[in-house]
Amino acid sequence: MRTRPLKVALLGCGVVGSEVARIMTTHADDLTARIGAPVELAGVAVRRPDRVREGIDPALVTTDATALVKRGDIDVVVEVIGGIEPARTLITTAFEHGASVVSANKALLAQDGAALHAAAEEHGKDLYYEAAVAGAIPLIRPLRESLAGDKINRVMGIVNGTTNFILDKMDSTGAGYQEALDEATALGYAEADPTADVEGFDAAAKAAILAGIAFHTRVRLDDVYREGMTEVTAADFASAKEMGCTIKLLAICERAADGASVTARVHPAMIPLSHPLASVRGAYNAVFVESDAAGQLMFYGPGAGGSPTASAVLGDLVAVCRNRLSDATGPGESAYAALPVSPMGDVVTRYHISLDVADKPGVLAQVATVFAEHGVSIDTVRQQGKDGEASLVVVTHRASDAALTGTVEALRKLDTVRGVASIMRVEGE
Ligand code: HSE
């Protein structure tokens, strides 16, 4: 057992950072035994030094994060400040000055993961970021290490707790979107500005990271198709129920059937109640992985919060410290497959389309003809008429998103189609 401690610099001491510091103290003996050397909190960079930070020696607190990562005696920098800058510069500076990095920064990894991995490799250091995707749930290392001998074909997950809380509330109470969002805000599940969550930006960053690791290829945030969930209505949930489904905001990363390309997308979708993801309630996250040899796997747990996210950070910290002691590094970026990321139009799935139409002879035939002309095969049609108007619900067989988009554009041009009330993809069947 080495007695000289490994020195850790903590960048950020908010909800996650303060939990990391707390667990480092309360679990110090176990961490020492597991790593093979003590770990010492050598500095904590914060924006507001005046805030009381229970359990942290005030002498360790600094506002000069740059000086901290440049010290030269730091073994591991833990970055939990989030955002692109100054996090990116601090991480690269940390590598240049001999430290490995543990980060929880999904936005940065989704945007600049390749450059950061290259910087880590250039300096022979580790870059670990288990906490960047789905909080406490072990995903990055299972995909990167445990499944390294398998071939992953699809990763489909609920990777945003705020939106899952809102959708679950709508499902269980019949509430509309705004009412459910208001409750999520009041309970602290949604931020005052919920845009990043409800518009799918947060989930898209996580999808980019997961797709890149799962398919050994580079997938950036810009490659991920994104649709938020603000348009989902109580009527959509009623339709979903009639089909034996619920609605979830899903991040879906897929290898094309021919294996030559991949896609990554985030959007609300209907999934059958029998699918394991349908039972993920409240603010929980879960990721369903399908691979050649293992078959189907599901990873489930809390996807946010100080303590769960700190659990993932601490797991990385132990791994990186062990690597330091054996003068090794863990696996870096694996992008050898270099598969192109196909546009959304190439995605093939099923669709649930709800139309408001005139209730008169020939309308159903007209609508069916438009589907046929675009090569989209209809699975079921359900019609409910009232006072000369009708609601027509069409569920299709599998078709490309491009074909479905063409179909909907043509439907909108029909005089007898008063409006397209909703289009929802149907996944997980
Ligand atoms: N806002 C995110 C969520 C937190 O609701 O899941 C974790 O990224």
Side-chain angles (χ1 to χ4, degrees):
M1 172 84 69
R2 187 177 106 153
T3 51
R4 188 163 58 80
L6 288 148
K7 294 194 175 178
V8 177
L10 185 58
L11 308 183
C13 199
V15 177
V16 177
S18 56
E19 272 300 291
V20 170
R22 186 187 66 77
I23 297 170
M24 278 182 70
T25 306
T26 56
H27 294 189
D29 291 346
D30 286 325
L31 291 172
T32 300
R34 290 170 196 175
I35 291 167
V39 271
E40 174 191 307
L41 192 57
V44 182
V46 298
R47 260 186 311 165
R48 281 168 292 203
D50 45 314
R51 278 205 187 160
V52 180
R53 291 181 169 84
E54 217 178 302
I56 294 181
D57 178 355
L60 297 179
V61 176
T62 175
T63 53
D64 193 346
T66 305
L68 180 57
V69 299
K70 278 185 173 175
R71 258 171 54 168
D73 65 335
I74 301 296
D75 291 285
V76 185
V77 167
V78 173
E79 183 271 306
V80 285
I81 51 181
I84 305 300
E85 285 294 356
R88 176 172 48 198
T89 303
L90 290 169
I91 289 173
T92 45
T93 307
F95 292 139
E96 287 159 10
H97 289 80
S100 284
V101 172
V102 173
S103 172
N105 195 328
K106 66 209 152 207
L108 181 57
L109 266 304
Q111 185 179 299
D112 285 328
L116 292 175
H117 273 295
E121 196 175 333
E122 184 192 338
H123 295 284
K125 299 292 173 288
D126 275 325
L127 172 62
Y128 277 44
Y129 43 92
E130 186 65 68
V133 181
I137 307 175
L139 267 175
I140 307 290
R141 268 187 282 154
L143 292 178
R144 180 172 274 155
E145 298 181 31
S146 318
L147 292 166
D150 205 337
K151 182 183 177 197
I152 296 171
N153 296 312
R154 181 184 288 119
V155 177
M156 179 160 88
I158 295 164
V159 291
N160 184 273
T162 305
T163 47
N164 201 56
F165 179 90
I166 295 169
L167 291 170
D168 186 31
K169 201 41 75 180
M170 291 173 75
D171 185 40
S172 58
T173 65
Y177 166 71
Q178 192 58 49
E179 194 187 330
L181 171 63
D182 289 346
E183 185 172 347
T185 310
L187 293 172
Y189 287 108
E191 295 187 32
D193 176 2
T195 310
D197 294 317
V198 300
E199 294 296 354
F201 291 102
D202 175 83
K206 293 163 180 169
I209 295 170
L210 291 177
I213 294 172
F215 305 134
H216 300 270
T217 209
R218 272 188 196 149
V219 181
R220 299 183 74 238
L221 180 58
D222 293 346
D223 297 319
V224 181
Y225 173 85
R226 179 193 55 78
E227 250 178 57
M229 43 73 77
T230 58
E231 308 284 314
V232 177
T233 63
D236 290 328
F237 272 100
S239 294
K241 274 190 183 142
E242 281 178 36
M243 285 182 59
C245 289
T246 187
I247 298 170
K248 297 289 188 191
L249 184 73
L250 297 178
I252 304 173
C253 314
E254 282 176 317
R255 192 187 288 280
D258 64 3
S261 63
V262 298
T263 53
R265 52 191 163 117
V266 169
H267 54 72
M270 293 186 182
I271 52 166
L273 293 172
S274 57
H275 193 283
L277 287 174
S279 60
V280 178
R281 313 299 300 264
Y284 276 86
N285 284 195
V287 176
F288 192 74
V289 178
E290 294 171 63
S291 70
D292 268 4
Q296 299 179 331
L297 305 160
M298 190 154 100
F299 300 84
Y300 172 87
S307 179
T309 309
S311 165
V313 169
L314 263 297
D316 279 354
L317 182 64
V318 169
V320 168
C321 286
R322 286 172 177 158
N323 291 344
R324 299 275 297 191
L325 288 182
S326 53
D327 215 8
T329 51
E333 186 191 33
S334 172
Y336 73 91
L339 297 170
V341 184
S342 296
M344 187 62 188
D346 289 1
V347 165
V348 173
T349 189
R350 297 178 68 207
Y351 305 87
H352 176 287
I353 303 122
S354 186
L355 304 168
D356 296 323
V357 298
D359 193 3
K360 59 185 191 188
V363 173
L364 191 54
Q366 245 183 352
V367 167
T369 302
V370 169
F371 277 87
E373 283 169 354
H374 290 83
V376 179
S377 173
I378 293 174
D379 181 20
T380 61
V381 180
R382 204 173 61 243
Q383 180 177 331
Q384 230 169 17
K386 195 176 164 220
D387 303 331
E389 299 290 309
S391 154
L392 199 60
V393 174
V394 179
V395 180
T396 74
H397 288 297
R398 285 167 64 78
S400 74
D401 215 81
L404 195 277
T405 301
T407 307
V408 172
E409 274 170 20
L411 287 170
R412 287 189 203 275
K413 289 185 186 141
L414 292 180
D415 288 343
T416 48
V417 173
R418 311 279 191 240
V420 180
S422 85
I423 305 164
M424 190 80 68
R425 298 176 184 88
V426 184
E427 304 289 342
E429 291 184 309

